[in-house]
């Protein structure tokens, strides 16, 4: 598919992306975003079904043949106050597209447009516009609502923009690409009292401090140094008075790993370390986990297909970057059917504006390249 075709639709893709950026919606609340997607699909004359697994939308192009493929983009934004001062900055206070899902959605609409106007392929392509990717179970919700039974697809592909990687460069790993992640909650139960009489209490604040430090030994001493894992406690809540030792302290965070067996070992050690450390200080630890995302582990044949398509399109291809401990719920799809997930370079991250930063912005220049990549891999997968 010549660059000139995608380049001709670049202004339209940018217009769509800027609209989405102005009107971000949090996970599970993507009603207007989904309505915008449906409206554009209607204008393109592409059939679709909505309200799948929440606000999910699936559009379908059928053109004979017996092969099928899925392409996926995410639609939700983040609870971050935008600081870009761009003319198309978020108009929803405290919410912004700080991860580029606006660009992912616009480029998938672009791929649908390109494939609609391309007579050179046959088969079925499903365009999956997914809500609630940011840790709120959007992929699983769509699957539970019959994604793969209602819209059968042999393979599925997607991508994430990647700040710091040269614009338009495609990075695809064999195997692990992004980590499995789970929310972690720890409540330390003690015995509250006056801060001037600590001997009459079982101080959960002190216990929590020891637990935080002890948990860092898990990756350092319980996990093979050649395996990647992370445990981060990010929220600590206790008493509201300076002279009170509280009854309980709660902590919340996340833990992640690239390999499922390593992930399970980290979970086991979190329970052991937290409960044992708290008990040694006269307190009791209650540990809870909330499963959010599976590891994104590419299938080798599909990753190779993605690399060959990118190279054929003249996009630089890399395989040398390490996987990331960030997570992506595309991994749930890859547990069910073959597929591959790519990173497409967003260009330099000016002033540290990486993903989930208040100054981040998706690079409009990669929209036509991303749309071309998605359309190209769909054609190759069903070719």
């Amino acid at each position: 598919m010549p660059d000139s075709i995608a380049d001709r639709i670049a202004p339209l893709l940018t217009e769509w992306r800027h609209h989405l950026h102005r009107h971000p919606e949090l996970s599970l609340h993507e009603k207007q975003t989904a309505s915008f997607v449906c409206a554009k699909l209607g204008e393109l004359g592409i059939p679709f079904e909505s309200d799948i697994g929440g606000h999910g939308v699936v559009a379908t192009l059928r053109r004979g043949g017996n092969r099928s493929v899925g392409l996926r983009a995410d639609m939700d934004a983040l609870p971050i106050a935008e600081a870009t001062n761009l003319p198309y900055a978020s108009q929803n206070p405290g919410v912004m597209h700080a991860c580029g899902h606006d660009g992912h959605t616009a480029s998938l609409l672009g791929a649908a447009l390109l494939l609609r106007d391309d007579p050179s392929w046959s088969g079925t392509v499903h365009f999956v516009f997914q809500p609630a990717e940011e840790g709120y179970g959007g992929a699983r919700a769509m699957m539970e609502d019959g994604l793969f039974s209602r819209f059968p697809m042999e393979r599925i592909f997607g991508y994430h923009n990647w700040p710091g990687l040269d614009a338009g460069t495609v990075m695809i790993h064999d195997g692990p690409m992004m980590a499995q992640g789970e929310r972690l909650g720890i409540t330390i139960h003690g015995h509250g009292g006056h801060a001037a009489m600590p001997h009459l209490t079982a101080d959960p604040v002190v216990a929590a401090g020891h637990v935080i430090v002890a948990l860092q030994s898990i990756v350092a001493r319980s996990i093979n140094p050649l395996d990647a894992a992370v445990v981060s406690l990010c929220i600590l809540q206790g008493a509201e008075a300076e002279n009170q030792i509280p009854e309980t302290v709660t902590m919340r965070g996340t833990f992640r790993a690239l390999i499922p067996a390593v992930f399970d070992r980290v979970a086991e050690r979190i329970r052991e370390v937290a409960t044992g450390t708290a008990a040694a200080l006269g307190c009791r630890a209650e540990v809870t986990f909330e499963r959010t995302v599976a590891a994104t582990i590419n299938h080798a044949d599909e990753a190779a297909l993605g690399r060959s398509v990118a190279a054929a399109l003249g996009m630089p291809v890399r395989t040398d970057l390490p996987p990331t401990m960030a997570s992506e719920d595309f991994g749930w799809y890859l547990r069910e059917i073959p597929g591959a997930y790519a990173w497409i370079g967003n260009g330099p991250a000016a002033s540290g504006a990486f993903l989930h930063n208040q100054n981040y912005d998706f690079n409009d220049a990669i929209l036509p390249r991303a749309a071309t990549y998605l359309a190209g891999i769909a054609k190759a997968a069903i070719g």
Side-chain angles (χ1 to χ4, degrees), residues 85-164:
N85 294 316
L86 292 165
Y88 50 86
S90 171
Q91 296 177 6
N92 187 356
V95 182
M96 76 170 286
H97 273 295
C99 205
H101 297 185
D102 51 344
H104 302 165
T105 297
S107 55
L108 185 56
L109 284 169
L113 173 56
L114 291 172
L115 288 169
R116 184 201 69 175
D117 294 342
D118 182 353
S120 69
W121 61 275
S122 65
T124 298
V125 183
H126 297 295
F127 305 89
V128 180
F129 296 87
Q130 181 204 306
E133 186 280 325
E134 294 287 356
Y136 288 88
R140 284 182 296 168
M142 291 193 78
M143 290 164 59
E144 289 166 2
D145 202 9
L147 176 65
F148 293 138
S149 59
R150 294 165 62 183
F151 310 95
M153 54 191 82
E154 300 168 37
R155 299 190 271 188
I156 190 167
F157 298 89
Y159 87 95
H160 205 293
N161 78 96
W162 210 250

Side-chain angles (χ1 to χ4, degrees), residues 76-88:
D76 51 335
L78 288 158
I80 295 174
E82 184 163 355
T84 65
N85 294 316
L86 292 165
Y88 50 86

Side-chain angles (χ1 to χ4, degrees), residues 69-371:
V69 65
L71 303 174
R72 175 272 204 172
D74 36 20
M75 300 189 295
D76 51 335
L78 288 158
I80 295 174
E82 184 163 355
T84 65
N85 294 316
L86 292 165
Y88 50 86
S90 171
Q91 296 177 6
N92 187 356
V95 182
M96 76 170 286
H97 273 295
C99 205
H101 297 185
D102 51 344
H104 302 165
T105 297
S107 55
L108 185 56
L109 284 169
L113 173 56
L114 291 172
L115 288 169
R116 184 201 69 175
D117 294 342
D118 182 353
S120 69
W121 61 275
S122 65
T124 298
V125 183
H126 297 295
F127 305 89
V128 180
F129 296 87
Q130 181 204 306
E133 186 280 325
E134 294 287 356
Y136 288 88
R140 284 182 296 168
M142 291 193 78
M143 290 164 59
E144 289 166 2
D145 202 9
L147 176 65
F148 293 138
S149 59
R150 294 165 62 183
F151 310 95
M153 54 191 82
E154 300 168 37
R155 299 190 271 188
I156 190 167
F157 298 89
Y159 87 95
H160 205 293
N161 78 96
W162 210 250
L165 182 63
D166 289 346
T169 295
V170 176
M171 170 74 202
I172 307 181
H173 287 292
D174 288 339
M177 190 84 177
M178 303 180 80
Q180 179 175 348
E182 222 168 88
R183 291 192 180 97
L184 163 64
I186 302 174
T187 301
I188 308 293
H189 300 274
H191 182 74
H194 199 294
M197 294 176 277
H199 61 293
L200 301 179
T201 73
D203 191 342
V205 177
V206 172
H210 282 272
V211 168
I212 291 170
V213 173
L215 287 177
Q216 300 312 305
S217 71
I218 295 173
V219 175
R221 287 296 177 266
S222 297
I223 301 301
N224 187 326
L226 299 180
D227 294 327
V230 64
V231 180
S232 292
L233 274 299
C234 304
I235 298 173
L236 178 64
Q237 296 173 322
E240 296 183 0
E242 292 84 351
N243 61 352
Q244 175 200 7
I245 291 174
E247 190 79 11
T248 62
V249 168
T250 59
M251 298 178 284
R252 295 195 62 81
T254 184
F255 67 103
R256 303 178 180 207
L258 292 170
I259 301 170
V262 174
F263 185 87
D264 292 342
R265 175 60 173 159
V266 172
E268 176 186 40
R269 290 295 291 143
I270 287 173
R271 288 192 184 279
E272 293 172 348
V273 169
T275 55
T277 302
L281 293 165
C283 296
R284 177 175 63 87
E286 178 184 357
V287 181
T288 60
F289 300 138
E290 182 183 349
R291 178 66 57 89
T292 54
V293 289
T296 300
I297 302 175
N298 283 341
H299 296 252
D301 289 346
E302 284 65 33
L305 183 66
R307 290 190 292 268
S308 66
V309 166
L313 291 169
M315 303 174 74
V317 177
R318 292 181 61 176
T319 59
D320 59 317
L321 297 180
T324 180
M325 299 308 291
S327 297
E328 213 328 320
D329 74 357
F330 192 85
W332 292 114
Y333 301 134
L334 297 181
R335 287 190 173 193
E336 298 296 320
I337 62 174
Y341 197 68
W343 299 339
I344 298 181
N346 200 57
S351 302
F354 290 94
L355 301 174
H356 292 217
N357 180 274
Q358 68 272 17
N359 290 300
Y360 162 85
D361 188 36
F362 188 97
N363 184 354
D364 292 325
I366 72 169
L367 284 169
R369 301 298 280 158

